Amino acid sequence: MSHKATVWAIQQRGLKPATKIVLWFLCDRHNPDFGCFPTQERLAEDAEMSISALNAHLAKLEELRLIHRVRTHDPRTHKRQATRYILAFEEGFPQDPCPESGDGVSGTEEERDDTPSPETGHGANSGFLANPSPDFAQSHLRNPETNLVREPLSKPVKEEEDAQAREAEFDRFFAELLTALGFAANATLPAWWQGWPARTHVRRWIDDLGLSQQRILEVALETRADHPNPPDGPKALDRFMERAAQRDAQTAIANAKSQKAKRRRKREDPPRLSDDEKAAFYAKMVNADGFLPVSAINNSIRDLMLVRGLVTPERLRLRGVR
């Protein structure tokens, strides 16, 4: 990791969020002594996007002249080697030819070879050997059926739009989080809150702890009661977020147990009698000659029996029910 490279990436303006993510992770893989040689698979995994989306962002960064890709081949096997990414702030970054005169150079030393052509004595060689690829003798390109890195023919528009929408939503949430922590809207943020490292740290509260964006904002506001000054960085809030996740998990377990107990009690409780069943049960007691407690029949039961014609008023008076 190169601190100089990642700081440079953060300072770039005018990029779409997903494109800036790719630039930052590319700089994160930069080595000041040896350069930058990450594979597409590694960059796609870092940036959490498909290789096809990654290539679109790399092409945009190259178009904006923030990076330059150098593709080389092994001189013996003629197979492609790892692509080298040269960042715009590095020495040796190729310069555009002058638009008025055409003077200048447009490639790196690895891509240029000023040796004249042995056939004509003029011009310059390309720097690559003329032997065909061992996989496909009629072409200098590798056989696409055996190429491990397959470039898509078209850009997955829907996937790109979804990724941009998710980034826009996260940007809105991150701004609300900063406000909840006490940062002014136009204030200069401390270093620990700047750039994609801080955002990646906040994402872990969602991905690893299972907290929702709303829950994170609630916890952030709770911390202001005891710590009115904004924290130095997201790491200072880790223990608060972990405790909130633990409390939420305990509450969820308790609620699940309560619901389970309610369902168990409901299964164990005997079914309630309907009005017809109640009326028939007590009418049988009234019409019989056995002992009938005075308090056994209340007004509601009496009315149920009379409406259904199960007993007569005379029989009720005879049995002492008024």
Side-chain angles (χ1 to χ4, degrees), residues 262-274 277-278:
K262 288 181 180 179
R263 289 193 296 269
R264 184 173 62 251
R265 287 195 301 269
K266 187 175 181 180
R267 289 194 301 268
E268 294 173 352
D269 290 342
R272 294 185 178 182
L273 297 176
S274 66
E277 292 172 331
K278 291 179 182 178

Side-chain angles (χ1 to χ4, degrees), residues 169 172-181 202 205-206 211-224 237 241 244:
E169 170 62 20
R172 180 199 60 76
F173 156 68
F174 193 79
E176 290 185 4
L177 175 62
L178 295 177
T179 301
L181 292 172
V202 172
W205 298 340
I206 300 174
L211 296 174
S212 66
Q213 293 183 358
Q214 183 61 36
R215 187 70 175 111
I216 291 174
L217 294 176
E218 292 173 357
V219 175
L221 289 172
E222 290 174 2
T223 62
R224 297 293 307 283
L237 295 173
M241 297 300 169

Side-chain angles (χ1 to χ4, degrees), residues 163-204:
Q164 292 178 359
R166 289 193 297 270
E167 287 303 320
E169 170 62 20
F170 187 82
D171 287 344
R172 180 199 60 76
F173 156 68
F174 193 79
E176 290 185 4
L177 175 62
L178 295 177
T179 301
L181 292 172
F183 290 106
N186 298 323
T188 301
L189 296 175
W192 290 111
W193 282 106
Q194 295 181 12
W196 297 110
R199 295 168 181 255
T200 302
H201 195 105
V202 172
R203 285 183 188 274
R204 295 195 186 104

Side-chain angles (χ1 to χ4, degrees), residues 18 34 39 51 56 62 118 154 176 185 194 206 222 230 264 287 310:
F34 301 103
T39 64
I51 290 181
E62 195 163 27
S154 61
E176 290 185 4
Q194 295 181 12
I206 300 174
E222 290 174 2
R264 184 173 62 251
N287 292 325
L310 299 177

Side-chain angles (χ1 to χ4, degrees), residues 24-76:
W24 191 91
F25 279 113
L26 191 63
C27 291
D28 189 51
R29 296 288 175 182
H30 175 264
N31 186 297
D33 296 324
F34 301 103
C36 188
F37 297 87
T39 64
Q40 287 190 341
E41 288 80 1
R42 170 57 65 185
L43 281 177
E45 181 180 353
D46 287 344
E48 299 184 39
M49 63 179 62
S50 66
I51 290 181
S52 58
L54 172 72
N55 277 304
H57 294 300
L58 290 174
K60 184 63 177 179
L61 290 171
E62 195 163 27
E63 177 186 340
L64 296 172
R65 295 195 51 74
L66 293 174
I67 67 170
H68 181 73
R69 287 181 282 187
V70 179
R71 301 175 177 87
T72 58
H73 294 73
D74 187 289
R76 183 176 59 84

Side-chain angles (χ1 to χ4, degrees), residues 67-314:
I67 67 170
H68 181 73
R69 287 181 282 187
V70 179
R71 301 175 177 87
T72 58
H73 294 73
D74 187 289
R76 183 176 59 84
T77 63
H78 314 296
K79 294 184 178 181
R80 284 189 60 174
Q81 296 177 323
T83 298
R84 178 185 177 188
Y85 296 86
I86 302 179
L87 307 177
F89 69 86
E90 292 186 271
E91 294 183 4
F93 189 83
Q95 302 297 318
D96 281 335
C98 176
E100 289 79 10
S101 65
D103 296 332
V105 293
S106 60
T108 63
E109 294 181 358
E110 292 91 336
E111 298 172 301
R112 300 194 308 273
D113 187 351
D114 296 331
T115 306
S117 170
E119 288 80 7
T120 64
H122 301 291
N125 292 329
S126 66
F128 299 108
L129 299 181
N131 295 335
S133 166
D135 299 321
F136 189 47
Q138 312 305 330
S139 172
H140 292 272
L141 300 176
R142 290 178 58 84
N143 188 338
E145 293 303 320
T146 60
N147 191 356
L148 296 180
V149 180
R150 299 185 180 185
E151 301 292 341
L153 297 179
S154 61
K155 178 181 178 181
V157 178
K158 184 64 169 63
E159 180 180 349
E160 177 66 14
E161 290 177 349
D162 291 344
Q164 292 178 359
R166 289 193 297 270
E167 287 303 320
E169 170 62 20
F170 187 82
D171 287 344
R172 180 199 60 76
F173 156 68
F174 193 79
E176 290 185 4
L177 175 62
L178 295 177
T179 301
L181 292 172
F183 290 106
N186 298 323
T188 301
L189 296 175
W192 290 111
W193 282 106
Q194 295 181 12
W196 297 110
R199 295 168 181 255
T200 302
H201 195 105
V202 172
R203 285 183 188 274
R204 295 195 186 104
W205 298 340
I206 300 174
D207 298 336
D208 298 346
L209 300 180
L211 296 174
S212 66
Q213 293 183 358
Q214 183 61 36
R215 187 70 175 111
I216 291 174
L217 294 176
E218 292 173 357
V219 175
L221 289 172
E222 290 174 2
T223 62
R224 297 293 307 283
D226 298 327
H227 303 83
N229 294 327
D232 293 335
K235 190 174 181 181
L237 295 173
D238 280 350
R239 63 189 181 94
F240 296 101
M241 297 300 169
E242 290 169 359
R243 289 175 181 174
Q246 292 174 356
R247 290 196 302 269
D248 292 349
Q250 292 170 355
T251 301
I253 293 173
N255 290 338
K257 290 181 177 179
S258 176
Q259 292 296 328
K260 185 177 180 180
K262 288 181 180 179
R263 289 193 296 269
R264 184 173 62 251
R265 287 195 301 269
K266 187 175 181 180
R267 289 194 301 268
E268 294 173 352
D269 290 342
R272 294 185 178 182
L273 297 176
S274 66
D275 289 345
D276 290 339
E277 292 172 331
K278 291 179 182 178
F281 175 78
Y282 286 104
K284 186 176 180 181
M285 295 176 61
V286 171
N287 292 325
D289 294 331
F291 174 71
L292 180 66
V294 177
S295 60
I297 308 298
N298 57 31
N299 293 339
S300 298
I301 298 298
R302 179 199 63 196
D303 294 341
L304 289 176
M305 293 187 294
L306 290 173
V307 168
R308 288 165 175 76
L310 299 177
V311 297
T312 63
E314 293 76 10

